[in-house]
Amino acid sequence: MPEDTEKTATGGETRCGFVALVGAPNAGKSTLLNRMAGAKLSIVSPKAQTTRFRTLGIVMRDTAQIVFVDLPGIFKPRRRLDQAMVNAAWSGSQDADLNLLLVDSRIGLTDEIREIIARLKEGKRPVWLVLNKTDLIQRDQLLPLTKAITDLLPVEEVYMVSARSGDGVGGLLDGLARAMPVGPYHYPEDDLTDLPDRLLAAEIVREQVFLQTHEEIPYHATVETESFKTRKDGSIRIDVTIYVSRAGHKAILIGERGQRIREIGMRARKQLEGLLDAPCHLFLNVKERAAWDKETARLRALGLADYG
């Protein structure tokens, strides 16, 4: 038996590995990660390109620890921020033990997916195909789509799931648990993510910006936690700044008499209290900062400085 093999309390071999979630924007990667983890680890929005950086989700399944890497969606970059996001996605894909190619089954085999497939073929990591949102299309459409994709890319396994409803997700987790390399766990068994609390706070606020503002604003805004302090009474004070690139966007975010920013803060605070299991005092500040998406400091705050 290998020296790094460990046993669980019940005597079973432990397994542990990294699984990258790869796909186009809005394929449902973050929804799937949250479903598999049983907790909100990555923000979810109907808009594309919600995820901006790598998020780890740590899932225990039988005697296996599966470390999921939720990556930014892969798309054609236009800005420095976009390029950093795409570079981070491909770096995470190459570092993983296994890649899950997640495809929105309603949209099918697009040019975007073809480009991702071509890139995956260049790598040496095993690929599993996961067709998502299968509850939203006719079942007889799934086999032709599977064949069209597998004709282009050799895959080891094919799964059909609905991340929204959970259908098929348990079987996918069982398969992944069996496929993980034998070895010790990388993280404590009760960990859900490696995401620091202050970054989690910024992401929860950014999700509300996505959900409560017009189409163009979320892509021209970034959110940073300036201060995260636990008070003597056990409550947490969180100071967050939302950077926008235009004065008009600042006015929209704040809203008439501050109504929208209060609503963003209220909904984010409720989510954070549930995630952090403590009362939270959340203070939001909106600042105009032109071309923030080109600044190294802003990319560093998103964990993307090494990829820009």
Side-chain angles (χ1 to χ4, degrees):
M1 185 177 296
E3 292 183 0
D4 62 353
T5 300
E6 293 188 357
K7 297 279 188 177
T8 64
T10 57
E13 271 185 340
T14 61
R15 294 177 175 271
C16 185
F18 288 84
V19 176
L21 301 175
V22 182
N26 230 21
K29 298 183 298 298
S30 296
T31 302
L32 181 60
L33 173 63
N34 292 340
R35 168 69 64 177
M36 291 188 292
K40 191 182 190 77
L41 303 179
S42 197
I43 75 171
V44 176
S45 162
K47 301 179 177 70
Q49 299 170 31
T50 305
T51 302
R52 281 183 174 162
F53 58 90
R54 158 189 89 56
T55 302
L56 287 190
I58 303 162
V59 176
M60 299 301 303
R61 192 74 169 182
D62 298 326
T63 61
Q65 183 177 80
I66 311 167
V67 185
F68 291 97
V69 188
D70 181 22
L71 301 168
I74 297 169
F75 56 98
K76 289 186 181 297
R78 293 192 299 269
R79 304 173 295 171
R80 183 183 177 192
L81 170 65
D82 297 340
Q83 187 63 61
M85 289 163 57
V86 172
N87 290 347
W90 283 121
S91 176
S93 167
Q94 293 162 10
D95 292 339
D97 294 294
L98 188 154
N99 285 316
L100 291 186
L101 172 59
L102 196 65
V103 175
D104 184 338
S105 57
R106 299 174 306 169
I107 298 174
L109 184 56
T110 62
D111 289 342
E112 206 166 26
I113 296 298
R114 290 177 184 274
E115 291 180 14
I116 293 172
I117 286 173
R119 186 73 178 265
L120 286 172
K121 286 178 71 173
E122 297 173 2
K124 298 180 180 179
R125 302 301 187 193
V127 179
W128 290 12
L129 172 62
V130 179
L131 297 181
N132 189 27
K133 307 181 185 181
T134 56
D135 55 327
L136 302 178
I137 69 167
Q138 296 295 321
R139 301 294 291 186
D140 58 6
Q141 296 178 261
L142 294 173
L143 288 180
L145 175 57
T146 300
K147 184 177 186 306
I149 294 173
T150 54
D151 282 348
L152 297 174
L153 177 70
V155 301
E156 294 188 353
E157 302 278 352
V158 178
Y159 286 86
M160 301 178 184
V161 308
S162 168
R164 183 181 61 85
S165 71
D167 185 44
V169 173
L172 173 60
L173 282 172
D174 289 339
L176 289 169
R178 292 189 295 268
M180 292 299 95
V182 174
Y185 298 149
H186 294 310
Y187 297 92
E189 293 183 47
D190 56 352
D191 278 6
L192 286 176
T193 182
D194 69 339
L195 199 64
D197 288 343
R198 59 188 299 128
L199 193 52
L200 177 66
E203 282 294 276
I204 293 299
V205 172
R206 190 166 69 89
E207 179 179 45
Q208 288 303 318
V209 172
F210 262 92
L211 294 175
Q212 296 190 46
T213 59
H214 296 294
E215 184 71 27
E216 75 278 6
I217 291 180
Y219 303 105
H220 294 277
T222 191
V223 182
E224 295 181 21
T225 301
E226 307 290 351
S227 175
F228 189 103
K229 296 180 180 178
T230 302
R231 293 175 164 180
K232 291 181 180 179
D233 63 0
S235 66
I236 303 170
R237 177 184 172 118
I238 309 169
D239 292 271
V240 170
T241 297
I242 305 172
Y243 290 98
V244 294
S245 56
R246 302 174 189 173
H249 290 170
K250 180 177 179 179
I252 292 171
L253 262 178
I254 293 173
E256 187 176 355
R257 297 180 182 178
Q259 183 175 355
R260 176 166 280 126
I261 197 67
R262 283 197 298 271
E263 184 72 13
I264 289 171
M266 181 192 70
R267 295 190 184 186
R269 177 181 57 78
K270 287 182 178 179
Q271 284 201 48
L272 285 167
E273 287 181 337
L275 290 167
L276 300 173
D277 197 24
C280 294
H281 309 278
L282 178 62
F283 298 88
L284 303 183
N285 186 23
V286 183
K287 292 183 179 180
E288 180 189 353
R289 196 178 187 102
W292 65 261
D293 54 343
K294 298 179 182 178
E295 296 178 10
T296 300
R298 303 282 79 78
L299 295 179
R300 185 179 297 112
L302 291 170
L304 294 172
D306 292 340
Y307 304 102

